[in-house]
mmCIF file with all atom_site columns, all heavy atoms in Angstrom:
data_model
loop_
_atom_site.group_PDB
_atom_site.id
_atom_site.type_symbol
_atom_site.label_atom_id
_atom_site.label_alt_id
_atom_site.label_comp_id
_atom_site.label_asym_id
_atom_site.label_entity_id
_atom_site.label_seq_id
_atom_site.pdbx_PDB_ins_code
_atom_site.Cartn_x
_atom_site.Cartn_y
_atom_site.Cartn_z
_atom_site.occupancy
_atom_site.B_iso_or_equiv
_atom_site.pdbx_formal_charge
_atom_site.auth_seq_id
_atom_site.auth_comp_id
_atom_site.auth_asym_id
_atom_site.auth_atom_id
_atom_site.pdbx_PDB_model_num
ATOM   1   N N   . ASN Y 1 9   ? 104.281 107.573 102.995 1.00 98.00 ? 9   ASN Y N   1
ATOM   2   C CA  . ASN Y 1 9   ? 105.395 108.107 103.779 1.00 98.00 ? 9   ASN Y CA  1
ATOM   3   C C   . ASN Y 1 9   ? 104.878 108.295 105.204 1.00 98.00 ? 9   ASN Y C   1
ATOM   4   O O   . ASN Y 1 9   ? 104.206 109.263 105.496 1.00 98.00 ? 9   ASN Y O   1
ATOM   5   C CB  . ASN Y 1 9   ? 105.857 109.447 103.174 1.00 98.00 ? 9   ASN Y CB  1
ATOM   6   C CG  . ASN Y 1 9   ? 106.972 110.089 103.992 1.00 98.00 ? 9   ASN Y CG  1
ATOM   7   O OD1 . ASN Y 1 9   ? 107.521 109.465 104.899 1.00 98.00 ? 9   ASN Y OD1 1
ATOM   8   N ND2 . ASN Y 1 9   ? 107.300 111.332 103.657 1.00 98.00 ? 9   ASN Y ND2 1
ATOM   9   N N   . LYS Y 1 11  ? 106.485 108.924 107.796 1.00 98.00 ? 11  LYS Y N   1
ATOM   10  C CA  . LYS Y 1 11  ? 107.255 109.904 108.578 1.00 98.00 ? 11  LYS Y CA  1
ATOM   11  C C   . LYS Y 1 11  ? 107.536 109.317 109.975 1.00 98.00 ? 11  LYS Y C   1
ATOM   12  O O   . LYS Y 1 11  ? 107.702 108.106 110.096 1.00 98.00 ? 11  LYS Y O   1
ATOM   13  C CB  . LYS Y 1 11  ? 106.525 111.249 108.623 1.00 98.00 ? 11  LYS Y CB  1
ATOM   14  C CG  . LYS Y 1 11  ? 106.158 111.733 107.209 1.00 98.00 ? 11  LYS Y CG  1
ATOM   15  C CD  . LYS Y 1 11  ? 105.688 113.144 107.139 1.00 98.00 ? 11  LYS Y CD  1
ATOM   16  C CE  . LYS Y 1 11  ? 105.327 113.473 105.696 1.00 98.00 ? 11  LYS Y CE  1
ATOM   17  N NZ  . LYS Y 1 11  ? 104.934 114.856 105.499 1.00 98.00 ? 11  LYS Y NZ  1
ATOM   18  N N   . HIS Y 1 97  ? 113.542 114.660 100.828 1.00 98.00 ? 97  HIS Y N   1
ATOM   19  C CA  . HIS Y 1 97  ? 112.222 115.153 101.253 1.00 98.00 ? 97  HIS Y CA  1
ATOM   20  C C   . HIS Y 1 97  ? 112.385 116.567 101.813 1.00 98.00 ? 97  HIS Y C   1
ATOM   21  O O   . HIS Y 1 97  ? 113.380 116.875 102.468 1.00 98.00 ? 97  HIS Y O   1
ATOM   22  C CB  . HIS Y 1 97  ? 111.633 114.215 102.308 1.00 98.00 ? 97  HIS Y CB  1
ATOM   23  C CG  . HIS Y 1 97  ? 110.195 114.516 102.582 1.00 98.00 ? 97  HIS Y CG  1
ATOM   24  N ND1 . HIS Y 1 97  ? 109.801 115.554 103.386 1.00 98.00 ? 97  HIS Y ND1 1
ATOM   25  C CD2 . HIS Y 1 97  ? 109.060 113.948 102.110 1.00 98.00 ? 97  HIS Y CD2 1
ATOM   26  C CE1 . HIS Y 1 97  ? 108.479 115.604 103.408 1.00 98.00 ? 97  HIS Y CE1 1
ATOM   27  N NE2 . HIS Y 1 97  ? 108.006 114.638 102.638 1.00 98.00 ? 97  HIS Y NE2 1
ATOM   28  N N   . SER Y 1 98  ? 111.374 117.397 101.604 1.00 97.00 ? 98  SER Y N   1
ATOM   29  C CA  . SER Y 1 98  ? 111.498 118.812 102.026 1.00 97.00 ? 98  SER Y CA  1
ATOM   30  C C   . SER Y 1 98  ? 111.709 118.944 103.533 1.00 97.00 ? 98  SER Y C   1
ATOM   31  O O   . SER Y 1 98  ? 112.343 119.891 103.987 1.00 97.00 ? 98  SER Y O   1
ATOM   32  C CB  . SER Y 1 98  ? 110.273 119.613 101.590 1.00 97.00 ? 98  SER Y CB  1
ATOM   33  O OG  . SER Y 1 98  ? 109.127 119.122 102.230 1.00 97.00 ? 98  SER Y OG  1
ATOM   34  N N   . GLU Y 1 99  ? 111.197 117.970 104.299 1.00 97.00 ? 99  GLU Y N   1
ATOM   35  C CA  . GLU Y 1 99  ? 111.430 118.030 105.750 1.00 97.00 ? 99  GLU Y CA  1
ATOM   36  C C   . GLU Y 1 99  ? 112.899 117.768 106.069 1.00 97.00 ? 99  GLU Y C   1
ATOM   37  O O   . GLU Y 1 99  ? 113.457 118.358 106.998 1.00 97.00 ? 99  GLU Y O   1
ATOM   38  C CB  . GLU Y 1 99  ? 110.506 117.029 106.472 1.00 97.00 ? 99  GLU Y CB  1
ATOM   39  C CG  . GLU Y 1 99  ? 109.065 117.515 106.452 1.00 97.00 ? 99  GLU Y CG  1
ATOM   40  C CD  . GLU Y 1 99  ? 108.016 116.415 106.458 1.00 97.00 ? 99  GLU Y CD  1
ATOM   41  O OE1 . GLU Y 1 99  ? 108.340 115.258 106.766 1.00 97.00 ? 99  GLU Y OE1 1
ATOM   42  O OE2 . GLU Y 1 99  ? 106.844 116.733 106.131 1.00 97.00 ? 99  GLU Y OE2 1
ATOM   43  N N   . GLU Y 1 169 ? 106.766 117.480 95.182  1.00 97.00 ? 169 GLU Y N   1
ATOM   44  C CA  . GLU Y 1 169 ? 105.937 117.827 96.338  1.00 97.00 ? 169 GLU Y CA  1
ATOM   45  C C   . GLU Y 1 169 ? 106.071 119.317 96.637  1.00 97.00 ? 169 GLU Y C   1
ATOM   46  O O   . GLU Y 1 169 ? 107.050 119.745 97.266  1.00 97.00 ? 169 GLU Y O   1
ATOM   47  C CB  . GLU Y 1 169 ? 106.395 117.041 97.572  1.00 97.00 ? 169 GLU Y CB  1
ATOM   48  C CG  . GLU Y 1 169 ? 106.324 115.542 97.407  1.00 97.00 ? 169 GLU Y CG  1
ATOM   49  C CD  . GLU Y 1 169 ? 106.337 114.837 98.755  1.00 97.00 ? 169 GLU Y CD  1
ATOM   50  O OE1 . GLU Y 1 169 ? 107.316 115.005 99.504  1.00 97.00 ? 169 GLU Y OE1 1
ATOM   51  O OE2 . GLU Y 1 169 ? 105.367 114.155 99.061  1.00 97.00 ? 169 GLU Y OE2 1
ATOM   52  N N   . ALA Y 1 173 ? 101.930 122.519 99.915  1.00 93.00 ? 173 ALA Y N   1
ATOM   53  C CA  . ALA Y 1 173 ? 100.814 121.551 99.911  1.00 93.00 ? 173 ALA Y CA  1
ATOM   54  C C   . ALA Y 1 173 ? 101.057 120.390 100.866 1.00 93.00 ? 173 ALA Y C   1
ATOM   55  O O   . ALA Y 1 173 ? 100.177 119.559 101.052 1.00 93.00 ? 173 ALA Y O   1
ATOM   56  C CB  . ALA Y 1 173 ? 100.610 121.015 98.498  1.00 93.00 ? 173 ALA Y CB  1
ATOM   57  N N   . ILE Y 1 174 ? 102.240 120.331 101.486 1.00 91.00 ? 174 ILE Y N   1
ATOM   58  C CA  . ILE Y 1 174 ? 102.559 119.184 102.348 1.00 91.00 ? 174 ILE Y CA  1
ATOM   59  C C   . ILE Y 1 174 ? 101.968 119.377 103.742 1.00 91.00 ? 174 ILE Y C   1
ATOM   60  O O   . ILE Y 1 174 ? 102.313 120.330 104.439 1.00 91.00 ? 174 ILE Y O   1
ATOM   61  C CB  . ILE Y 1 174 ? 104.080 118.957 102.454 1.00 91.00 ? 174 ILE Y CB  1
ATOM   62  C CG1 . ILE Y 1 174 ? 104.652 118.592 101.087 1.00 91.00 ? 174 ILE Y CG1 1
ATOM   63  C CG2 . ILE Y 1 174 ? 104.400 117.870 103.483 1.00 91.00 ? 174 ILE Y CG2 1
ATOM   64  C CD1 . ILE Y 1 174 ? 106.143 118.388 101.072 1.00 91.00 ? 174 ILE Y CD1 1
ATOM   65  N N   . GLY Y 1 175 ? 101.069 118.489 104.111 1.00 88.00 ? 175 GLY Y N   1
ATOM   66  C CA  . GLY Y 1 175 ? 100.484 118.511 105.449 1.00 88.00 ? 175 GLY Y CA  1
ATOM   67  C C   . GLY Y 1 175 ? 99.587  119.714 105.702 1.00 88.00 ? 175 GLY Y C   1
ATOM   68  O O   . GLY Y 1 175 ? 99.201  119.970 106.836 1.00 88.00 ? 175 GLY Y O   1
ATOM   69  N N   . THR Y 1 176 ? 99.259  120.456 104.665 1.00 90.00 ? 176 THR Y N   1
ATOM   70  C CA  . THR Y 1 176 ? 98.478  121.685 104.850 1.00 90.00 ? 176 THR Y CA  1
ATOM   71  C C   . THR Y 1 176 ? 97.016  121.511 104.476 1.00 90.00 ? 176 THR Y C   1
ATOM   72  O O   . THR Y 1 176 ? 96.195  122.384 104.758 1.00 90.00 ? 176 THR Y O   1
ATOM   73  C CB  . THR Y 1 176 ? 99.034  122.806 103.954 1.00 90.00 ? 176 THR Y CB  1
ATOM   74  O OG1 . THR Y 1 176 ? 98.956  122.357 102.585 1.00 90.00 ? 176 THR Y OG1 1
ATOM   75  C CG2 . THR Y 1 176 ? 100.471 123.147 104.290 1.00 90.00 ? 176 THR Y CG2 1
ATOM   76  N N   . GLY Y 1 213 ? 103.069 114.704 95.403  1.00 97.00 ? 213 GLY Y N   1
ATOM   77  C CA  . GLY Y 1 213 ? 102.848 114.626 96.844  1.00 97.00 ? 213 GLY Y CA  1
ATOM   78  C C   . GLY Y 1 213 ? 102.422 115.962 97.405  1.00 97.00 ? 213 GLY Y C   1
ATOM   79  O O   . GLY Y 1 213 ? 102.867 117.024 96.943  1.00 97.00 ? 213 GLY Y O   1
ATOM   80  N N   . GLY Y 1 214 ? 101.562 115.913 98.401  1.00 96.00 ? 214 GLY Y N   1
ATOM   81  C CA  . GLY Y 1 214 ? 101.079 117.140 99.036  1.00 96.00 ? 214 GLY Y CA  1
ATOM   82  C C   . GLY Y 1 214 ? 99.580  117.046 99.230  1.00 96.00 ? 214 GLY Y C   1
ATOM   83  O O   . GLY Y 1 214 ? 98.816  117.315 98.306  1.00 96.00 ? 214 GLY Y O   1
ATOM   84  N N   . SER Y 1 215 ? 99.174  116.581 100.430 1.00 94.00 ? 215 SER Y N   1
ATOM   85  C CA  . SER Y 1 215 ? 97.752  116.480 100.790 1.00 94.00 ? 215 SER Y CA  1
ATOM   86  C C   . SER Y 1 215 ? 96.932  115.622 99.821  1.00 94.00 ? 215 SER Y C   1
ATOM   87  O O   . SER Y 1 215 ? 95.773  115.924 99.546  1.00 94.00 ? 215 SER Y O   1
ATOM   88  C CB  . SER Y 1 215 ? 97.144  117.874 100.946 1.00 94.00 ? 215 SER Y CB  1
ATOM   89  O OG  . SER Y 1 215 ? 97.799  118.569 101.996 1.00 94.00 ? 215 SER Y OG  1
ATOM   90  N N   . VAL Y 1 216 ? 97.558  114.551 99.320  1.00 97.00 ? 216 VAL Y N   1
ATOM   91  C CA  . VAL Y 1 216 ? 96.785  113.595 98.522  1.00 97.00 ? 216 VAL Y CA  1
ATOM   92  C C   . VAL Y 1 216 ? 95.877  112.813 99.473  1.00 97.00 ? 216 VAL Y C   1
ATOM   93  O O   . VAL Y 1 216 ? 96.304  112.382 100.550 1.00 97.00 ? 216 VAL Y O   1
ATOM   94  C CB  . VAL Y 1 216 ? 97.715  112.612 97.762  1.00 97.00 ? 216 VAL Y CB  1
ATOM   95  C CG1 . VAL Y 1 216 ? 96.902  111.532 97.060  1.00 97.00 ? 216 VAL Y CG1 1
ATOM   96  C CG2 . VAL Y 1 216 ? 98.588  113.360 96.764  1.00 97.00 ? 216 VAL Y CG2 1
ATOM   97  N N   . LEU Y 1 234 ? 102.997 110.363 96.441  1.00 98.00 ? 234 LEU Y N   1
ATOM   98  C CA  . LEU Y 1 234 ? 103.711 110.129 97.691  1.00 98.00 ? 234 LEU Y CA  1
ATOM   99  C C   . LEU Y 1 234 ? 102.835 110.753 98.779  1.00 98.00 ? 234 LEU Y C   1
ATOM   100 O O   . LEU Y 1 234 ? 102.556 111.953 98.745  1.00 98.00 ? 234 LEU Y O   1
ATOM   101 C CB  . LEU Y 1 234 ? 105.099 110.780 97.652  1.00 98.00 ? 234 LEU Y CB  1
ATOM   102 C CG  . LEU Y 1 234 ? 105.951 110.673 98.920  1.00 98.00 ? 234 LEU Y CG  1
ATOM   103 C CD1 . LEU Y 1 234 ? 106.196 109.222 99.309  1.00 98.00 ? 234 LEU Y CD1 1
ATOM   104 C CD2 . LEU Y 1 234 ? 107.312 111.359 98.705  1.00 98.00 ? 234 LEU Y CD2 1
ATOM   105 N N   . VAL Y 1 235 ? 102.405 109.915 99.710  1.00 98.00 ? 235 VAL Y N   1
ATOM   106 C CA  . VAL Y 1 235 ? 101.304 110.300 100.595 1.00 98.00 ? 235 VAL Y CA  1
ATOM   107 C C   . VAL Y 1 235 ? 101.738 110.256 102.053 1.00 98.00 ? 235 VAL Y C   1
ATOM   108 O O   . VAL Y 1 235 ? 102.202 109.217 102.528 1.00 98.00 ? 235 VAL Y O   1
ATOM   109 C CB  . VAL Y 1 235 ? 100.115 109.319 100.402 1.00 98.00 ? 235 VAL Y CB  1
ATOM   110 C CG1 . VAL Y 1 235 ? 98.905  109.816 101.172 1.00 98.00 ? 235 VAL Y CG1 1
ATOM   111 C CG2 . VAL Y 1 235 ? 99.786  109.145 98.923  1.00 98.00 ? 235 VAL Y CG2 1
ATOM   112 N N   . GLY Y 1 236 ? 101.573 111.357 102.750 1.00 98.00 ? 236 GLY Y N   1
ATOM   113 C CA  . GLY Y 1 236 ? 101.917 111.416 104.165 1.00 98.00 ? 236 GLY Y CA  1
ATOM   114 C C   . GLY Y 1 236 ? 100.710 111.080 105.025 1.00 98.00 ? 236 GLY Y C   1
ATOM   115 O O   . GLY Y 1 236 ? 100.361 109.907 105.221 1.00 98.00 ? 236 GLY Y O   1
ATOM   116 N N   . GLY Y 1 237 ? 100.035 112.114 105.524 1.00 97.00 ? 237 GLY Y N   1
ATOM   117 C CA  . GLY Y 1 237 ? 98.924  111.960 106.471 1.00 97.00 ? 237 GLY Y CA  1
ATOM   118 C C   . GLY Y 1 237 ? 97.925  110.874 106.103 1.00 97.00 ? 237 GLY Y C   1
ATOM   119 O O   . GLY Y 1 237 ? 97.579  110.020 106.932 1.00 97.00 ? 237 GLY Y O   1
ATOM   120 N N   . ALA Y 1 238 ? 97.454  110.884 104.866 1.00 98.00 ? 238 ALA Y N   1
ATOM   121 C CA  . ALA Y 1 238 ? 96.403  109.933 104.469 1.00 98.00 ? 238 ALA Y CA  1
ATOM   122 C C   . ALA Y 1 238 ? 96.920  108.494 104.397 1.00 98.00 ? 238 ALA Y C   1
ATOM   123 O O   . ALA Y 1 238 ? 96.122  107.552 104.372 1.00 98.00 ? 238 ALA Y O   1
ATOM   124 C CB  . ALA Y 1 238 ? 95.791  110.345 103.127 1.00 98.00 ? 238 ALA Y CB  1
HETATM 125 P P1  . PGA X 2 .   ? 101.035 114.912 103.127 1.00 53.35 ? 301 PGA X P1  1
HETATM 126 O O1  . PGA X 2 .   ? 102.629 114.638 103.055 1.00 53.35 ? 301 PGA X O1  1
HETATM 127 O O2  . PGA X 2 .   ? 100.391 113.887 102.252 1.00 53.35 ? 301 PGA X O2  1
HETATM 128 O O3  . PGA X 2 .   ? 100.699 114.742 104.589 1.00 53.35 ? 301 PGA X O3  1
HETATM 129 O O4  . PGA X 2 .   ? 100.820 116.298 102.631 1.00 53.35 ? 301 PGA X O4  1
HETATM 130 C C1  . PGA X 2 .   ? 103.240 114.272 101.858 1.00 53.35 ? 301 PGA X C1  1
HETATM 131 C C2  . PGA X 2 .   ? 104.714 114.074 102.068 1.00 53.35 ? 301 PGA X C2  1
HETATM 132 O O5  . PGA X 2 .   ? 105.313 114.841 102.830 1.00 53.35 ? 301 PGA X O5  1
HETATM 133 O O6  . PGA X 2 .   ? 105.319 113.168 101.487 1.00 53.35 ? 301 PGA X O6  1
#
Side-chain angles (χ1 to χ4, degrees):
N9 177 10
K11 307 191 182 184
H97 191 281
S98 63
E99 288 150 15
E169 300 199 300
I174 296 178
T176 59
S215 298
V216 174
L234 177 59
V235 188

